[in-house]
């Protein structure tokens, strides 16, 4: 179907007038290697992010600064922290508010989802936000789980605290957390009736992996080791505690780990067990492979996986040197532009590329609230994967026709400013134009440089020209460019192109 500039917009979808600002930050141009690094370890390139990279002295210097998030000034992220009051609540208060019919736990969970995406859009601590997503997926606790929901926000705090420390610390904190215990039934596992769910997933999904050679006896011992961590939701009162009367004190042997486990308080033995698993060579290989799939390629070479695994083991499971080893390997650079953006990566990057600045929400129609329904429709809202294995990281899972068509619809809604638009600021269309008059090709290139930091291919330019029904050499005045479908068509088409849909 060909659209022409004179085609009227569907009235039913046309948005209200929006609040605008003048876009004066210039293009997002960076050297190709820096652009690749930033695209893999951020939620989308923007002119402001490109300026931060240049100010830092280049991509690697920016990467080094991002590994110390506490040292990165983050006023935009701090502003998002004030948008949702429920983010300040503890598990007991969330539970009590539900009991008193003040606020449902599902409402707090929805706020956590919105707050997470809001930070991904706005925060200057982009690498930290990327790694919080990675670890949350590896150690998945589904957001709306009936029991875990009260503790899910606290679980997020724990992952954020340890996202750039060591995997050993992260594993110990998450596996013994009430949210994980409720999600995988460990909160109800006793020496009389051990539940194997968490003990099995700890081996299969969180550490060594299903091919590591563990046995059913290992799974049973793993489950017995984890007994004692209990959570009462309804009786006698809402609390998480360690129950020595529930802990199994039989000796434990799991994949080379041995412990007498004689004490009724098995917490020290459990933490020793988790540390052993975190440092296990099979865990190193599995985490290295998963990191490479996420940040390099669906089929990483043995060379880069081994290099990342060596850095992980040599550093005592430290996450920062592990990531440095990944980006230092030649395979990282070779993977530029070859990973498909997942739906949520696509959504956040689109908002950032379009320069949309969500503000503190005041109504259900506010951008920061309404975006939940928009990115939820795309199919990958944060933390909602129902199974313990987390959202898939491979391209094939996110490259269906249905997903692409849904993304196209969302791109058009955002680029045309149809919905959502309230309590958000948008760059004025006029301030986004190059010096006018200019050819259609020049206007397209200008938008691509601003959104993605490089010019589009001839195929992309030609496709947009066909969509608009005019040659690339067409000379446009300012009024021509601002005609309803021209600039909107260019912006949405660039978001529909491989330039945006790959990272």
């Amino acid at each position: 179907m060909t659209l022409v500039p004179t085609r009227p917009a569907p009235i039913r979808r046309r948005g209200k007038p929006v609040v605008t600002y003048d876009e004066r930050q210039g293009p997002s141009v960076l050297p190709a290697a820096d652009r690749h690094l930033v695209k893999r370890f951020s939620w989308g390139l923007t002119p402001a992010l490109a300026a931060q990279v240049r100010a830092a002295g280049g991509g690697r210097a920016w990467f080094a600064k991002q590994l110390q998030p506490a040292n990165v000034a983050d006023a935009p992220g701090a502003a998002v922290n004030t948008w949702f009051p429920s983010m300040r609540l503890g598990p007991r208060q969330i539970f009590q508010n539900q009991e008193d019919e003040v606020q449902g736990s599902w409402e707090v969970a929805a706020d956590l989802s919105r707050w997470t995406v809001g930070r991904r859009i706005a925060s200057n601590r982009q690498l930290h936000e990327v790694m919080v997503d990675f670890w949350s997926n590896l150690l998945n606790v589904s957001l709306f789980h009936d029991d875990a929901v009260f503790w899910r926000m606290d679980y997020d705090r724990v992952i954020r605290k340890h996202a750039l420390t060591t995997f050993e610390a992260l594993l110990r904190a998450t596996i013994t957390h009430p949210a994980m215990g409720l999600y995988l039934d460990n909160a109800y596992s006793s020496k009389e009736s051990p539940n194997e769910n968490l003990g099995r997933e700890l081996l299969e999904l969180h550490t060594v992996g299903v091919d590591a050679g563990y046995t059913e006896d290992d799974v049973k011992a793993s489950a017995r080791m984890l007994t004692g961590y209990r959570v009462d939701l309804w009786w006698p009162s809402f609390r998480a505690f360690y129950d020595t009367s529930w802990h199994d004190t039989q000796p434990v042997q799991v994949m080379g780990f041995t412990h007498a486990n004689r004490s009724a308080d098995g917490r020290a033995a459990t933490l020793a067990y988790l540390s052993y698993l975190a440092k296990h060579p099979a865990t190193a290989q599995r985490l290295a492979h998963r990191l490479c799939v996420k940040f390099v390629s669906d089929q990483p070479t043995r060379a880069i996986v081994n290099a990342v695994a060596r850095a992980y083991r040599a550093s005592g499971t430290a996450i920062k040197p592990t990531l440095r080893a990944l980006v230092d390997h030649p395979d990282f650079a070779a993977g530029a532009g070859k990973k498909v953006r997942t739906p949520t990566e696509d959504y956040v990057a689109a908002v950032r590329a379009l320069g949309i600045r969500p503000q503190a929400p005041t109504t259900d129609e506010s951008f920061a609230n309404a975006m939940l329904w928009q990115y939820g429709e795309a199919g990958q809202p944060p933390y909602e994967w129902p199974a313990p294995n987390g959202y898939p990281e491979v391209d094939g899972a996110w490259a269906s026709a249905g997903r692409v068509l849904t993304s196209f619809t969302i791109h058009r809604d955002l680029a045309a400013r149809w919905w959502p638009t309230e309590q958000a600021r948008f760059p004025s269309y006029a301030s986004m134009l190059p010096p006018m008059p200019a050819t259609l090709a020049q206007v397209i290139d200008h938008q691509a440089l601003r959104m993605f930091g490089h010019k589009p291919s001839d195929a992309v330019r030609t496709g947009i020209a066909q969509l608009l029904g005019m040659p690339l050499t067409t000379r446009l005045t300012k009024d021509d460019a601002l005609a309803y479908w021209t600039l909107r068509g260019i912006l949405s088409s660039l978001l529909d192109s491989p330039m945006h849909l790959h990272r």
Side-chain angles (χ1 to χ4, degrees):
M1 181 176 67
T2 298
L3 300 179
V4 296
T6 55
R7 180 189 177 197
I11 298 299
R12 64 183 176 85
R13 305 211 62 178
R14 179 177 287 173
K16 301 174 183 176
V18 300
V19 177
T20 61
Y21 67 92
D22 282 346
E23 171 59 75
R24 301 186 185 280
Q25 297 189 79
S28 304
V29 176
L30 291 172
D34 289 353
R35 186 170 67 241
H36 170 51
L37 180 62
V38 170
K39 288 181 73 173
R40 289 292 164 89
F41 285 96
S42 78
W43 287 91
L45 187 59
T46 67
L49 177 52
Q52 291 168 16
V53 173
R54 290 191 292 268
R60 287 307 299 263
W62 172 84
F63 184 81
K65 290 186 68 172
Q66 288 285 308
L67 289 175
Q68 310 293 336
N71 296 334
V72 177
D74 191 24
V80 175
N81 292 345
T82 67
W83 291 359
F84 303 100
S86 63
M87 292 297 94
R88 294 191 287 271
L89 301 178
R92 182 185 292 272
Q93 189 61 56
I94 296 170
F95 174 81
Q96 194 61 51
N97 283 352
Q98 174 155 295
E99 287 292 285
D100 297 341
E101 299 183 355
V102 172
Q103 183 182 38
S105 58
W106 68 271
E107 296 176 274
V108 179
D111 280 351
L112 174 58
S113 177
R114 297 179 177 108
W115 175 78
T116 299
V117 173
R119 282 197 57 86
R120 291 173 182 177
I121 292 170
S123 176
N124 289 334
R125 299 170 182 172
Q126 285 285 294
L127 186 148
H128 185 246
E129 295 298 326
V130 168
M131 293 310 298
V132 167
D133 174 59
F134 177 82
W135 295 124
S136 298
N137 210 31
L138 177 79
L139 298 154
N140 184 44
V141 171
S142 193
L143 183 62
F144 291 101
H145 185 273
D146 287 347
D147 293 338
V149 65
F150 304 107
W151 291 87
R152 187 58 183 79
M153 196 165 63
D154 190 72
Y155 186 73
D156 183 75
R157 296 187 187 108
V158 165
I159 289 184
R160 286 178 172 276
K161 177 182 177 181
H162 294 292
L164 290 171
T165 58
T166 67
F167 184 69
E168 178 185 356
L170 177 65
L171 187 73
R172 290 167 61 154
T174 52
I175 297 302
T176 59
H177 193 277
M180 181 65 84
L182 289 163
Y183 178 54
L184 292 180
D185 305 315
N186 195 61
Y188 314 114
S189 181
S190 69
K191 59 186 179 185
E192 286 82 14
S193 183
N195 187 300
E196 296 176 8
N197 204 5
L198 179 58
R200 183 183 300 278
E201 304 299 10
L202 170 62
L203 296 171
E204 180 176 334
L205 299 177
H206 304 145
T207 58
V208 295
V210 70
D211 297 324
Y214 58 83
T215 66
E216 188 62 22
D217 285 343
D218 289 328
V219 170
K220 291 178 178 176
S222 180
R224 288 191 286 104
M225 185 76 268
L226 295 171
T227 52
Y229 294 89
R230 295 183 60 192
V231 185
D232 279 343
L233 286 183
W234 307 101
W235 183 88
S237 62
F238 183 91
R239 62 185 180 126
F241 62 106
Y242 192 84
D243 190 338
T244 55
S245 70
W246 276 38
H247 178 58
D248 187 306
T249 55
Q250 298 180 62
V252 171
Q253 294 186 26
V254 182
M255 294 191 70
F257 172 82
T258 62
H259 200 287
N261 188 33
R262 294 191 182 95
S263 173
D265 187 341
R267 284 177 285 190
T270 300
L271 295 182
Y273 171 52
L274 295 173
S275 294
Y276 174 83
L277 289 178
K279 296 172 182 173
H280 197 284
T283 300
Q285 286 295 128
R286 183 169 179 276
L287 285 184
H289 185 270
R290 184 148 177 154
L291 283 165
C292 290
V293 168
K294 175 69 176 179
F295 295 110
V296 181
S297 163
D298 277 11
Q299 297 178 320
T301 65
R302 182 174 297 179
I304 189 171
V305 172
N306 288 343
V308 174
R310 281 195 300 272
Y312 174 87
R313 296 189 67 192
S315 64
T317 81
I319 294 166
K320 293 173 186 175
T322 303
L323 293 178
R324 290 192 198 100
L326 185 148
V327 301
D328 282 344
H329 197 277
D331 286 4
F332 176 73
K338 296 179 180 177
K339 283 290 292 183
V340 170
R341 272 193 166 125
T342 68
T344 298
E345 290 171 345
D346 170 6
Y347 183 82
V348 175
V351 172
R352 287 169 61 84
L354 292 169
I356 301 171
R357 298 175 181 175
Q359 308 293 302
T362 58
T363 71
D364 289 345
E365 283 297 311
S366 298
F367 194 107
N369 280 331
M371 67 179 182
L372 171 71
W373 312 110
Q374 196 169 43
Y375 65 69
E377 184 181 359
Q380 194 206 15
Y383 319 138
E384 288 197 40
W385 185 256
N389 58 343
Y391 284 114
E393 307 275 20
V394 295
D395 292 357
W398 306 111
S400 70
R403 175 269 157 102
V404 171
L405 290 172
T406 301
S407 290
F408 286 4
T409 300
I410 293 172
H411 294 163
R412 187 178 54 192
D413 282 347
L414 292 172
R417 303 173 182 182
W418 285 341
W419 181 78
T421 58
E422 295 187 19
Q423 278 72 56
R425 300 176 68 216
F426 297 75
S428 71
Y429 283 134
S431 71
M432 297 166 67
L433 296 176
M436 303 300 286
T439 65
L440 174 61
Q442 289 171 326
V443 176
I444 294 171
D445 286 356
H446 182 81
Q447 300 310 318
L449 287 168
R450 191 181 57 80
M451 297 165 73
F452 312 128
H454 63 110
K455 294 182 179 179
S457 66
D458 289 342
V460 171
R461 283 196 201 93
T462 301
I464 295 174
Q466 291 175 342
L467 177 81
L468 296 175
M470 65 180 82
L472 285 165
T473 54
T474 302
R475 195 101 175 137
L476 300 176
T477 66
K478 180 179 178 181
D479 288 344
D480 293 334
L482 295 179
Y484 195 85
W485 279 111
T486 306
L487 190 54
R488 290 169 175 80
I490 293 171
L491 296 174
S492 60
S493 297
L494 287 171
L495 292 174
D496 295 345
S497 76
M499 297 179 72
H500 174 75
L501 291 173
H502 289 80
R503 62 183 173 91

